Amino acid sequence: MGTVDSRSLLDFARFKPLAAWSLSSAVLGASMAFFQSDGSILEPWPMAAAMICIVLMQYVSHPLNDITDRELDAKAAIAATGRKKPLVNGTATVNEAKMLSVAVVMVVLLIMAALIIFRPVLIVPAMYGMFALLGYSHSSLRLSYRPFTELYLGVPVNMIAVLVIAYIGSGTISALSVLVAVAFGFAASSVFVSMMSMDYATDRSNGKETTVVRYPRSRWCTIFPAIGLMASIISMPFAASSMSVAALLSYAALSVATFLVLMALGARADRLRLEHLVGLTNDMEPRSNDLRLKQLYASILFAVGISIIFLQQGA
């Protein structure tokens, strides 16, 4: 049995989604900790360990999901949408992906055990994180083949990642940190929802019942980021009590602008899917992929911008 080569290791990483979800949540959580602790991280090494753990969890979710979806991916427009999947292009075998997954999961569990010893309350998010990681792709659950995973996995996972890092670094959880984490969860997961729309045709024909497969004529790609916008608006009074006027205006402008962009792109993704349903377009996947990538970049810029504001206010 061979080992996974360096090319496949990089392809499994999928750096754009990695940057939009785990890396962004890690940076946002750390900046929130800095802000809440008035510029002094209380537990920098445990916080750093949590950041590494969260990135590794997303990384290993990719080979795990590829194993589950390997037959479906072979039929999907993978190359046309710029995605690289080692099990599809043949640079890695299923057994190699399984061995890689086991190795990374073992590292994740070791880090989790150390963090739970440090803060026993962390057993709760750790258990949920493992449920999300394994439940999404495990053959006995295959939650990725069911609707609304973006609501009970996508948003909570990104939200918890931010809150856990902020809590470890600052020793506290505030109303503002919760609302910012919720808003980020919706921003990051908007990419996930649009990806479901992009893969609608393949998913539907292969029994993968995502939300847009169950409700193909819905405006879910538009509605989903609108919920995140509401969370951001609700957070503003809490931000006002702890930020300067200039920082508050920047926070409000960035938040509203980001979600309006996500909603506009989501509306275009919905329109493409509806056109596909009535036979008006045959190139939904590549066009939807362009919209998905724009949402991904918007989500990253949102996390980076909010992080800069928190760092400046915490200094």
Side-chain angles (χ1 to χ4, degrees), residues 271-291:
R271 186 164 61 251
L272 272 175
R273 189 178 68 259
L274 293 173
E275 290 175 358
H276 171 80
L277 289 173
V278 296
L280 294 179
T281 180
N282 294 316
D283 59 349
M284 180 180 70
E285 289 92 344
R287 292 171 65 190
S288 295
N289 184 59
D290 179 63
L291 299 174

Side-chain angles (χ1 to χ4, degrees), residues 21 81 83 150 186-201 203 210-212 219-225 261-273 284-296:
W21 298 333
T81 53
R83 291 174 286 180
E150 61 274 22
F186 276 95
S189 298
S190 292
V191 182
F192 185 42
V193 173
S194 290
M195 184 169 64
M196 293 177 180
S197 184
M198 176 181 71
D199 290 337
Y200 166 78
D203 288 348
T210 61
T211 310
V212 294
R219 299 283 181 172
W220 190 229
C221 294
T222 311
I223 295 169
F224 191 82
V261 168
L262 292 174
M263 289 167 61
L265 293 170
R268 291 172 63 186
D270 283 330
R271 186 164 61 251
L272 272 175
R273 189 178 68 259
M284 180 180 70
E285 289 92 344
R287 292 171 65 190
S288 295
N289 184 59
D290 179 63
L291 299 174
R292 175 184 69 95
L293 289 176
K294 289 177 180 177
Q295 285 186 316
L296 183 146

Side-chain angles (χ1 to χ4, degrees), residues 204-277:
R204 181 178 180 274
S205 62
N206 288 275
K208 188 173 184 179
E209 192 182 14
T210 61
T211 310
V212 294
V213 169
R214 177 174 286 188
Y215 305 105
R217 299 186 182 280
S218 71
R219 299 283 181 172
W220 190 229
C221 294
T222 311
I223 295 169
F224 191 82
I227 302 172
L229 175 60
M230 288 189 287
S232 283
I233 292 172
I234 294 170
S235 74
M236 290 176 191
F238 297 97
S241 65
S242 53
M243 290 183 181
S244 67
V245 174
L248 176 63
L249 292 175
S250 298
Y251 172 79
L254 177 60
S255 298
V256 172
T258 297
F259 282 104
L260 289 178
V261 168
L262 292 174
M263 289 167 61
L265 293 170
R268 291 172 63 186
D270 283 330
R271 186 164 61 251
L272 272 175
R273 189 178 68 259
L274 293 173
E275 290 175 358
H276 171 80
L277 289 173

Side-chain angles (χ1 to χ4, degrees), residues 86-97:
L87 300 188
V88 174
N89 60 32
T91 58
T93 66
V94 172
N95 283 336
E96 288 170 348

